[in-house]
Amino acid sequence: GAVVSQHPSWVICKSGTSVKIECRSLDFQATTMFWYRQFPKQSLMLMATSNEGSKATYEQGVEKDKFLINHASLTLSTLTVTSAHPEDSSFYICSASAGGVETQYFGPGTRLLVL
Amino acid sequence: GQNIDQPTEMTATEGAIVQINCTYQTSGFNGLFWYQQHAGEAPTFLSYNVLDGLEEKGRFSSFLSRSKGYSYLLLKELQMKDSASYLCAVRVQAGTALIFGKGTTLSVSS
């Protein structure tokens, strides 16, 4: 199957700092990437849909100015958590779709801990 | 709104068969997915159904009835490594994100 990578896998930061998470599709071009967040013992919640070359579409309740998404190429999308706070501590997972492909492929996830 | 329901927890013994049910009420339907997720890891794809019927893939099978808004994941010859969370997800429209249920935590004991 297709491979999606995320970097970093773990990040610990101080409150108020910004953190950038990269999501890459390694062996296919992803016209669309999705960013999810998962809190402990809960399911994946969609944060935003990222389309190459256009603005991301955010789900209700997700602050677009706090969670900046850039999808500059067909293989890379980045999520920047600006001015992170402890409540932003979570497991962030991206998935990628090539459009017309039946399934979405998930990255390994990034665990963020804000102190 | 979109609603996907599945049991919270299930237990089974090694070698047994277990069926995890999922019901959904969504504004549209473009496929139902099952993923396996081990603690602290990202989900891995198990199966995809878009037409009614049974899809078999090794020890895992998935069934879909669109008229009933119902699916199940069948796991045969259970192994300890099958202990994980199983996520049911629906894609409402082609090209859009998956909507996930809360997941079913399966514990397999010897």
Side-chain angles (χ1 to χ4, degrees):
Chain A
V3 179
V4 176
S5 70
Q6 271 184 252
H7 178 79
S9 55
W10 263 98
V11 59
I12 301 174
C13 69
K14 293 182 179 180
S15 184
T17 60
S18 294
V19 175
K20 180 187 282 189
I21 302 170
E22 294 184 348
C23 177
R24 293 181 186 272
S25 56
L26 298 184
D27 52 1
F28 67 101
Q29 293 186 325
T31 52
T32 305
M33 289 183 173
F34 304 97
W35 287 96
Y36 295 84
R37 181 167 53 181
Q38 186 177 34
F39 292 105
K41 297 189 178 181
Q42 294 188 24
S43 193
L44 282 74
M45 297 298 295
L46 179 67
M47 297 177 67
T49 300
S50 170
N51 293 299
E52 188 267 338
S54 64
K55 290 184 178 180
T57 304
Y58 291 81
E59 295 300 299
Q60 192 172 9
V62 178
E63 301 173 56
K64 63 179 182 180
D65 294 330
K66 180 172 180 64
F67 298 98
L68 302 179
I69 292 174
N70 187 313
H71 194 155
S73 77
L74 285 171
T75 59
L76 173 64
S77 176
T78 60
L79 168 67
T80 301
V81 183
T82 62
S83 187
H85 289 100
E87 57 265 31
D88 298 324
S89 299
S90 187
F91 191 41
Y92 291 85
I93 309 173
C94 72
S95 72
S97 169
V101 176
E102 290 180 342
T103 190
Q104 294 178 12
Y105 298 95
F106 283 87
T110 297
R111 196 162 299 281
L112 171 64
L113 177 62
V114 184
L115 301 176
Chain B
Q2 322 288 10
N3 195 44
I4 300 174
D5 287 318
Q6 49 182 131
T8 305
E9 293 181 339
M10 297 184 72
T11 58
T13 54
E14 263 188 310
I17 300 173
V18 71
Q19 177 175 312
I20 303 174
N21 296 322
C22 172
T23 58
Y24 62 92
Q25 300 94 36
T26 55
S27 57
F29 182 82
N30 187 253
L32 187 139
F33 299 78
W34 284 96
Y35 286 84
Q36 180 191 62
Q37 186 179 28
H38 285 100
E41 299 180 9
T44 55
F45 171 74
L46 290 178
S47 70
Y48 164 74
N49 295 70
V50 67
L51 299 176
D52 289 352
L54 187 68
E55 293 283 340
E56 296 186 79
K57 191 183 290 186
R59 293 190 300 117
F60 292 14
S61 303
S62 58
F63 172 83
L64 174 67
S65 169
R66 288 172 297 169
S67 62
K68 295 181 179 178
Y70 167 71
S71 172
Y72 67 73
L73 179 69
L74 193 70
L75 293 79
K76 303 175 185 175
E77 301 170 15
L78 281 173
Q79 303 174 9
M80 298 291 283
K81 67 178 183 179
D82 296 329
S83 293
S85 181
Y86 291 85
L87 307 175
C88 174
V90 172
R91 184 168 58 197
V92 172
Q93 188 177 337
T96 62
L98 303 184
I99 302 170
F100 283 86
K102 293 187 177 180
T104 299
T105 300
L106 174 65
S107 299
V108 180
S109 59
S110 56

